[in-house]
Amino acid sequence: MTDGSALRREMVDVCRRMNSSGINQGNAGNLSVRCSDGFLITPSSLPYETMTPEDIVEMDFDGTYVGRRPSSEWRFHRDILRERQEINVVLHCHSLYATTLACHHKTIPSFHYMTGVAGGTTIRCAGYATFGTQALSDNALVALKDRLACLLGQHGQISLGKTMEAALWLANEVETLSRMYVQALSLGEPPVLSDEEMARVIEQMKKMSYGQAPDPEGTNDLARPRDAAV
């Protein structure tokens, strides 16, 4: 991920899609992408509708930057990218249902198998800390341990990915799961899948991510391309 101009254009596009998809509103949320020895991050308090690629801020991991003032949440973007070398993108938004759960400091349990998209049996909620602080970053790192997404107490959500498309997709999935969980709670606390079942689910998801269909019960019953000679 070294073409800075292409990354900047894509970042602007993804930010606008965050708002148009409904997972973010106004100037809230922010996005960062690993680039060379540092990262690119959205600027502070600039509407996505008027943001241009030139407005994207270049930062180093020591906190120095070039250009406009970076997002107030630059600390957790920096710390996540520094700690999680397998991650290239950090996306933060204030999606409605995820934030609703975060206001109650609720972790999303494995009430639905798709909880596994975040990499574990739960999507944790980080403890509250003031926005823009090192304390918030520290809390987020704890909640994201072995996970690709978390909620931020009384704040919003964070989703990670190797690409911007992956992070945006995951943020939408977290919001969908949050909405389902809020609605399920209206009927009472829903049952949850066992850790053993979630381990099977996550393994199936890993297979799917490599373009392989699940192989239930070892039957080798795989969807496969028809032989060209047939």
Side-chain angles (χ1 to χ4, degrees):
M1 305 183 77
T2 57
D3 185 353
S5 59
L7 287 179
R8 289 167 185 265
R9 289 192 297 271
E10 187 178 359
M11 288 178 72
V12 172
D13 176 65
V14 168
C15 286
R16 291 174 180 171
R17 288 165 60 193
M18 285 166 57
N19 279 14
S20 64
S21 68
I23 64 169
N24 201 61
Q25 307 81 34
N27 298 347
N30 27 75
L31 177 69
S32 66
V33 182
R34 190 184 302 279
C35 183
S36 300
D37 295 328
F39 59 99
L40 300 174
I41 188 168
T42 48
S44 179
S45 304
L46 186 65
Y48 295 144
E49 292 76 13
T50 61
M51 186 186 300
T52 68
E54 292 72 27
D55 292 318
I56 300 296
V57 183
E58 180 181 341
M59 290 198 77
D60 290 329
F61 287 102
D62 63 3
T64 58
Y65 66 90
V66 176
R68 300 181 68 104
R69 184 163 55 93
S71 166
S72 61
E73 303 293 12
W74 65 268
R75 287 179 177 83
F76 71 62
H77 287 270
R78 175 198 62 186
D79 293 350
I80 293 168
L81 290 172
R82 184 167 56 191
E83 294 294 320
R84 300 284 296 273
Q85 291 297 310
E86 81 280 14
I87 296 300
N88 291 324
V89 179
V90 178
L91 185 153
H92 168 53
C93 63
H94 295 179
S95 57
L96 182 60
Y97 284 91
T99 304
T100 297
L101 292 175
C103 286
H104 285 272
H105 290 230
K106 275 193 169 292
T107 284
I108 301 174
S110 53
F111 78 106
H112 190 284
Y113 79 91
M114 280 296 285
T115 305
V117 297
T121 60
T122 61
I123 299 174
R124 304 184 188 101
C125 184
Y128 175 79
T130 305
F131 77 93
T133 62
Q134 187 59 47
L136 178 60
S137 178
D138 293 343
N139 290 351
L141 284 173
V142 171
L144 284 167
K145 181 176 174 58
D146 301 321
R147 297 290 192 274
L148 293 173
C150 74
L151 307 183
L152 296 176
Q154 295 166 285
H155 189 148
Q157 63 142 303
I158 294 175
S159 291
L160 312 179
K162 291 184 181 296
T163 67
M164 283 183 261
E165 285 295 332
L168 181 61
W169 175 85
L170 182 56
N172 276 284
E173 289 296 322
V174 171
E175 176 63 4
T176 298
L177 283 163
S178 298
R179 183 174 183 175
M180 287 193 290
Y181 188 42
V182 168
Q183 293 178 346
L185 285 170
S186 69
L187 302 176
E189 191 69 45
V192 298
L193 298 170
S194 68
D195 289 352
E196 292 77 16
E197 174 56 21
M198 286 304 295
R200 286 190 287 269
V201 166
I202 292 167
E203 184 59 30
Q204 295 282 50
M205 288 178 171
K206 289 178 180 177
K207 290 180 181 179
M208 294 294 284
S209 71
Y210 287 104
Q212 302 174 19
D215 182 8
E217 303 303 325
T219 61
N220 199 33
D221 185 18
L222 297 174
R224 53 202 180 276
R226 186 175 296 166
D227 187 80
V230 175

